[in-house]
């Protein structure tokens, strides 16, 4: 029995070496080749970390690796942002997970663990705006404006006969 297991493990190791992929990846060889061919060279070392985030599709990983200058902090922010996405909340407004990732990538330089909640509220607004840099630079001010909303009316004077 142990000899059979040994042969199977050797064969699987040879097969994964021949294919050039780690068997833990959930992407096909063609998807991996496409991701790596389009990625920035300095982002190649972050491929495995992005691939381990189960919420990200091959398209999302490819987009992030080709359009964002990644580092360890940005990977952590992406991981945390993926946990904030709730399909019921966003799909009701017509926003997909990929759209959410596009907005994360557009604002990644301004995001931190402190302002991700503000970012989520901004993304949930039904708009076509992708750059939230002004609100994310000072999230306390954005939250204060939200909480201090005054009542306003569509008219100024009412005339009664």
């Amino acid at each position: 029995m142990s000899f059979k297991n040994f042969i199977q493990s050797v064969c699987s190791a040879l097969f994964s070496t021949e294919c050039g992929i780690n068997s833990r990846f959930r992407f096909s060889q063609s998807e991996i080749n496409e991701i790596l061919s389009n990625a920035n060279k300095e982002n190649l070392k972050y491929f495995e970390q992005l691939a381990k985030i189960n919420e990200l599709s091959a398209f999302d990983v490819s987009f992030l690796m080709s359009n964002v200058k990644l580092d360890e902090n940005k990977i952590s922010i992406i991981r945390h942002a993926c946990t904030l996405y709730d399909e019921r909340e966003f799909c009701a407004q017509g926003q997909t997970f990929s759209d959410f990732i596009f907005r994360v990538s557009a604002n990644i330089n301004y995001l931190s663990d402190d302002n991700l909640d503000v970012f989520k509220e901004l993304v949930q607004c039904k708009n076509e705006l992708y750059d939230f840099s002004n609100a994310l630079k000072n999230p306390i001010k954005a939250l204060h404006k939200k909480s201090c909303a005054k009542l306003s009316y569509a008219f100024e004077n009412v005339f009664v006969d």
Side-chain angles (χ1 to χ4, degrees):
M1 271 303 201
S2 64
F3 182 71
K4 180 181 175 187
N5 291 339
F6 174 75
I7 296 297
Q8 287 176 340
S9 65
V10 168
C11 290
S12 66
L14 287 174
F15 179 74
S16 72
T17 303
E18 284 178 7
C19 291
I21 62 169
N22 189 338
S23 60
R24 295 179 299 193
F25 285 139
R26 56 194 168 87
F27 303 128
S28 69
Q29 182 64 40
S30 62
E31 289 173 328
I32 292 172
N33 290 339
E34 184 176 339
I35 291 169
L36 296 179
S37 68
N38 293 326
N40 293 338
K41 289 183 171 87
E42 57 270 359
N43 290 339
L44 291 176
K45 58 186 172 187
Y46 300 111
F47 172 67
E48 189 170 351
Q49 291 178 8
L50 285 175
K52 287 181 180 178
I53 302 174
N54 291 331
E55 292 88 358
L56 296 175
S57 68
F59 177 74
D60 298 332
V61 171
S62 178
F63 179 79
L64 289 169
M65 291 201 48
S66 63
N67 293 321
V68 177
K69 186 173 183 195
L70 296 171
D71 60 25
E72 295 294 330
N73 185 39
K74 290 178 182 175
I75 297 290
S76 173
I77 290 170
I78 291 168
R79 186 177 290 117
H80 188 212
C82 288
T83 62
L84 292 177
Y85 181 82
D86 184 12
E87 194 166 338
R88 289 177 303 186
E89 293 175 3
F90 287 94
C91 285
Q93 299 172 1
Q95 297 181 26
T96 65
F97 183 73
S98 291
D99 189 42
F100 180 73
I101 293 299
F102 293 161
R103 290 179 184 212
V104 168
S105 69
N107 296 286
I108 193 83
N109 294 325
Y110 302 105
L111 290 176
S112 67
D113 290 332
D114 299 332
N115 63 9
L116 275 173
D117 293 329
V118 173
F119 175 74
K120 180 182 177 185
E121 289 182 24
L122 290 171
V123 171
Q124 285 178 326
C125 297
K126 191 169 188 167
N127 61 29
E128 298 301 320
L129 185 66
Y130 279 78
D131 184 13
F132 301 121
S133 57
N134 291 334
L136 293 175
K137 285 178 185 175
N138 194 355
I140 304 288
K141 184 177 176 183
L143 286 175
H144 179 68
K145 282 184 181 177
K146 179 184 171 196
S147 64
C148 293
K150 296 180 183 177
L151 292 177
S152 57
Y153 301 95
F155 49 87
E156 188 172 309
N157 296 324
V158 177
F159 299 101
V160 180
D161 281 333

